[in-house]
Amino acid sequence: MDGAADDPSGKHHKSSQQQSIKQVLYGVLAAGVCLGFIASQPLYMQHQRQLDNQVPRRRLVQKEPQSELESILQRVAPEREVMIAISNYNLIREGMLTTWLEMVTKAEVPNYLVVAIDTQLRDDLIAKGYNVYYKDISVDASQEGTGDNHAISALKFKILQEFLELNWHVLLSDVDIVTLQNPFDYLYRDHDVEGMSDGFDQWTAYGKVGGLDDQSMGWARYAQSTEHLNMNSGLFYLRANERTLGLMERIAARLSKEKAWDQSVYNQEIFFLSHDDYVAPHVTVRIMDIYKFMNSKVLFKEVRHQPRSSQVLPVMIHINYHPDKHMRMLAVVKYYVDKDDHALEPFPGGSEPGS
């Protein structure tokens, strides 16, 4: 006989039903916990990455500095990020460094530091009350004859290593840059390298799909590529870690041996892919907004022709596309600070009249 006949009250049947319901509920609960864990894990990891990437917004517990630079950084940049420019006295004589300093001060960027590579500049800046660190360093033999600006630019990758080794995040700025707002208010800080592009629109700056057409291949004549213009080696932010330190070491090592343009080597080391025995440095990269961290082609070929009402105030403008650098820097100051709508009109879009 079956169980129902033995249990006329139906208690056994009800108990079985309750047991089944409990099992179903436990199963649903377990599935819900698993699904909740799976769904929450990416959010947790994203939150952790955000926490890991945040720059401390409080002053450090000061320890005894182990070097002159560390002592200066504890005073100038206690939140462990600093904006630096590398210069010799010639750039004061030419006026560009003076304008750079005036605009950094006007934009209220307290955590800046000029790395002076000669004693004349060091003494001049100390007398004027500016933040300065003297670095006794010589131009590599491989860079001799490349011109003062290129030779100094090649030194930056050696100098930056010292900051990264001390665990300071660094915003590197060439001196042909006008600072209009505090750049630290506009950084994302979520990648190893965050830098300005030489691109002048969303495709040339941020990337596009390009390709090759080889008619001899017939059906397979088209091959796609991913393209963008180079990052500029005169304006970038580095997070202090092993990857960025390794990147600086690699670039400096190459420039100490090769008579090469530092910007070309900088981009090769960042973007060339691992292959055979070559291993890329594995740094992550973010391109700065081209209208906030603006190159001079974007300004003189596009933005200045827009109505004032549609323009946004840039954070920094780099006069990298034009040789008359200081004249254009002064015009940028008049245009954005003094509100002179005609300040940029005397200059051609390119370097030649009528361009």
Side-chain angles (χ1 to χ4, degrees):
M1 297 177 66
D2 60 27
D6 290 338
D7 185 17
S9 67
K11 291 181 179 179
H12 177 76
H13 180 63
K14 290 178 182 179
S15 176
S16 298
Q17 282 185 325
Q18 290 172 350
Q19 189 68 26
S20 297
I21 291 170
K22 286 181 179 179
Q23 290 176 346
V24 171
L25 290 175
Y26 286 144
V28 170
L29 178 61
V33 170
C34 291
L35 289 172
F37 175 77
I38 293 170
S40 63
Q41 189 176 24
L43 295 174
Y44 172 77
M45 295 302 295
Q46 181 181 7
H47 179 63
Q48 282 299 114
R49 284 193 295 269
Q50 290 173 346
L51 290 177
D52 291 342
N53 284 327
Q54 285 177 356
V55 175
R57 293 301 172 189
R58 64 183 186 279
R59 290 181 176 269
L60 297 171
V61 176
Q62 300 289 2
K63 63 182 182 64
E64 193 67 27
Q66 302 300 305
S67 66
E68 180 190 2
L69 176 58
E70 188 172 16
S71 177
I72 293 171
L73 289 173
Q74 287 182 355
R75 172 176 56 83
V76 170
E79 293 182 349
R80 279 201 181 273
E81 56 180 4
V82 63
M83 175 177 172
I84 73 168
I86 300 166
S87 181
N88 61 13
Y89 189 74
N90 287 340
L91 294 176
I92 276 281
R93 189 181 293 114
E94 295 170 5
M96 280 197 295
L97 181 57
T98 300
T99 301
W100 186 91
L101 284 163
E102 289 173 350
M103 294 309 298
V104 166
T105 303
K106 190 173 184 64
E108 299 181 347
V109 185
N111 51 327
Y112 76 89
L113 184 64
V114 176
V115 179
I117 59 173
D118 60 45
T119 56
Q120 191 175 7
L121 177 61
R122 177 199 63 191
D123 296 343
D124 183 78
L125 295 183
I126 289 174
K128 294 174 179 174
Y130 288 117
N131 299 334
V132 60
Y133 167 61
Y134 171 62
K135 179 68 175 178
D136 186 7
I137 190 170
S138 300
V139 173
D140 289 313
S142 61
Q143 299 300 316
E144 291 178 359
T146 59
D148 201 36
N149 289 341
H150 283 295
I152 292 174
S153 188
L155 294 174
K156 69 182 66 164
F157 304 100
K158 285 184 178 179
I159 293 170
L160 284 166
Q161 292 174 45
E162 190 175 359
F163 289 81
L164 298 175
E165 287 169 346
L166 291 171
N167 202 31
W168 255 264
H169 312 301
V170 186
L171 177 63
L172 184 282
S173 169
D174 280 355
V175 298
D176 57 343
I177 290 177
V178 176
T179 302
L180 298 168
Q181 301 188 69
N182 189 330
F184 292 102
D185 294 337
Y186 294 89
L187 296 174
Y188 284 80
R189 301 178 178 87
D190 59 351
H191 286 68
D192 297 325
V193 183
E194 187 171 348
M196 192 195 93
S197 173
D198 276 353
F200 45 87
D201 56 33
Q202 62 177 339
W203 297 281
T204 56
Y206 309 138
K208 65 175 181 178
V209 175
L212 298 173
D213 179 7
D214 182 357
Q215 296 185 30
S216 70
M217 290 297 294
W219 175 82
R221 63 185 285 183
Y222 299 110
Q224 283 192 348
S225 63
T226 304
E227 303 171 3
H228 57 80
L229 291 188
N230 274 352
M231 293 178 68
N232 191 278
S233 63
L235 178 55
F236 56 84
Y237 177 80
L238 297 175
R239 291 193 58 78
N241 57 45
E242 290 297 322
R243 293 180 299 278
T244 54
L245 179 58
L247 176 65
M248 296 299 104
E249 290 172 345
R250 291 165 69 134
I251 297 171
R254 283 188 58 184
L255 291 172
S256 69
K257 302 170 186 175
E258 303 174 24
K259 196 166 190 173
W261 183 25
D262 67 278
Q263 180 162 300
S264 180
V265 175
Y266 169 72
N267 279 273
Q268 290 170 30
E269 291 296 333
I270 289 175
F271 292 114
F272 277 12
L273 305 178
S274 296
H275 59 278
D276 301 325
D277 294 332
Y278 174 78
V279 180
H282 303 304
V283 292
T284 59
V285 178
R286 170 183 282 277
I287 300 298
M288 292 171 165
D289 187 308
I290 62 173
Y291 295 107
K292 292 178 180 176
F293 297 87
M294 190 184 297
N295 66 54
S296 57
K297 181 173 182 177
V298 173
L299 175 62
F300 284 95
K301 296 290 281 188
E302 178 191 352
V303 170
R304 67 165 170 172
H305 301 300
Q306 298 171 348
R308 272 280 196 171
S309 59
S310 67
Q311 295 181 28
V312 297
L313 179 64
V315 179
M316 303 176 84
I317 298 176
H318 191 179
I319 312 299
N320 61 314
Y321 267 101
H322 300 89
D324 48 344
K325 294 178 178 296
H326 193 221
M327 291 177 62
R328 291 188 188 240
M329 288 176 72
L330 295 175
V332 166
V333 173
K334 288 182 180 179
Y335 185 76
Y336 283 106
V337 178
D338 301 336
K339 308 299 182 184
D340 181 351
D341 290 340
H342 304 289
L344 304 180
E345 291 177 0
F347 300 91
S351 60
E352 303 301 320
S355 60

